[in-house]
Amino acid sequence: MDEKTREQMIEALDAMLDEDRPYHERLEAYEFLQEDCEEIVDDMLAKLYTVEGETGKMLMEVLAGYPGHKAIFMGLVGYLYKGEDVALFAHLIGNYGDEQGIEVLKTFCEEYEPNYNEYMEIRNAVEELGGDFDLKQDFSDDPLYRYLKGLDEEDPRRSPFEDMWKDEDRDDECDDDCHCHDEDCDDDCDCHDDDCDCHCHDEE
């Protein structure tokens, strides 16, 4: 692959930040900038303060691939505290490699009360940076946590069709003269007799 020129890098940066361009063109520029564009990091940082929303996140993701810049680290922290995509920016901070991220992430976790997915990304990022993560939170009401732990599932050994089959079996075995399914079945009905041979009262 030919070496990237500064002119190409700047063109790609402008293309990525141009919200009027087709998304696939912006995505190509995003991918182009992710490697071997250290030369224009300062240019990208200057643009960071002029964009927001998804475009800002896209630029911040590109910058996260260039370690060793305090301004980039602070930008990642700023986006984390915006709370718009906590899991993503916790992950990026972990990858960035600045050990100050350990305390930043732990403090954020204590203040923000993240959901289970965010919590796991924060914990993974802290551990990736070499820190210990001993913060515990109760996620018993978190839908993702309950799903992953199988807390809302019925007994896996029991078929969901069991009741349907049970009712069908009883109906098939029930005698034609049995009135136990009649709404007006009274105490004189034979189905209440101890010696009734109807299967409608069979236990599971």
Side-chain angles (χ1 to χ4, degrees):
M1 180 179 178
D2 295 336
E3 185 176 344
K4 298 176 181 178
T5 67
R6 178 178 175 82
E7 181 180 2
Q8 290 174 323
M9 297 176 196
I10 294 297
E11 287 179 357
L13 178 59
D14 291 339
M16 185 183 72
L17 301 182
D18 186 352
E19 297 179 354
D20 293 328
R21 282 186 179 239
Y23 182 72
H24 73 274
E25 292 183 9
R26 299 179 66 203
L27 185 59
E28 288 178 4
Y30 165 85
E31 293 172 348
F32 179 89
L33 292 167
Q34 285 186 313
E35 294 181 355
D36 304 320
C37 292
E38 177 80 29
E39 183 179 342
I40 65 163
V41 163
D42 288 340
D43 299 90
M44 288 192 279
L45 282 169
K47 295 288 188 180
L48 187 61
Y49 304 103
T50 67
V51 294
E52 55 186 5
E54 291 301 316
T55 300
K57 287 168 59 177
M58 185 179 286
L59 177 56
M60 198 68 251
E61 286 184 65
V62 169
L63 284 166
Y66 297 96
H69 299 267
K70 185 57 64 177
I72 294 177
F73 174 74
M74 295 307 298
L76 291 170
V77 172
Y79 268 85
L80 175 74
Y81 269 89
K82 285 183 178 182
E84 296 173 357
D85 199 334
V86 171
L88 170 64
F89 285 99
H91 173 73
L92 291 176
I93 289 172
N95 282 348
Y96 200 67
D98 191 318
E99 292 184 358
Q100 292 186 61
I102 296 172
E103 288 306 314
V104 168
L105 290 164
K106 293 174 73 171
T107 299
F108 177 83
C109 191
E110 291 176 327
E111 296 175 350
Y112 180 77
E113 296 185 359
N115 61 39
Y116 183 66
N117 180 53
E118 294 168 341
Y119 172 88
M120 291 302 296
E121 286 293 350
I122 292 170
R123 188 186 76 174
N124 291 341
V126 168
E127 293 177 349
E128 184 175 359
L129 291 169
D132 294 322
F133 193 83
D134 54 3
L135 302 176
K136 304 295 182 182
Q137 294 192 20
D138 179 14
F139 293 104
S140 57
D141 293 328
D142 185 277
L144 177 61
Y145 177 83
R146 296 186 66 82
Y147 171 77
L148 293 175
K149 299 298 183 181
L151 298 179
D152 293 326
E153 296 179 3
E154 296 183 0
D155 186 345
R157 296 167 298 179
R158 183 177 182 274
S159 168
F161 302 105
E162 186 174 313
D163 290 337
M164 181 178 69
W165 291 334
K166 177 178 62 179
D167 291 341
E168 288 180 351
D169 290 343
R170 289 182 179 179
D171 288 345
D172 291 342
E173 297 173 356
C174 187
D175 297 336
D176 292 337
D177 296 331
C178 174
H179 303 286
C180 58
H181 297 296
D182 295 346
E183 294 182 359
D184 57 353
C185 179
D186 55 27
D187 294 337
D188 295 331
C189 175
D190 294 338
C191 65
H192 298 290
D193 294 345
D194 293 337
D195 57 353
C196 176
D197 58 1
C198 170
H199 300 283
C200 300
H201 303 291
D202 292 347
E203 296 183 358
E204 299 179 10

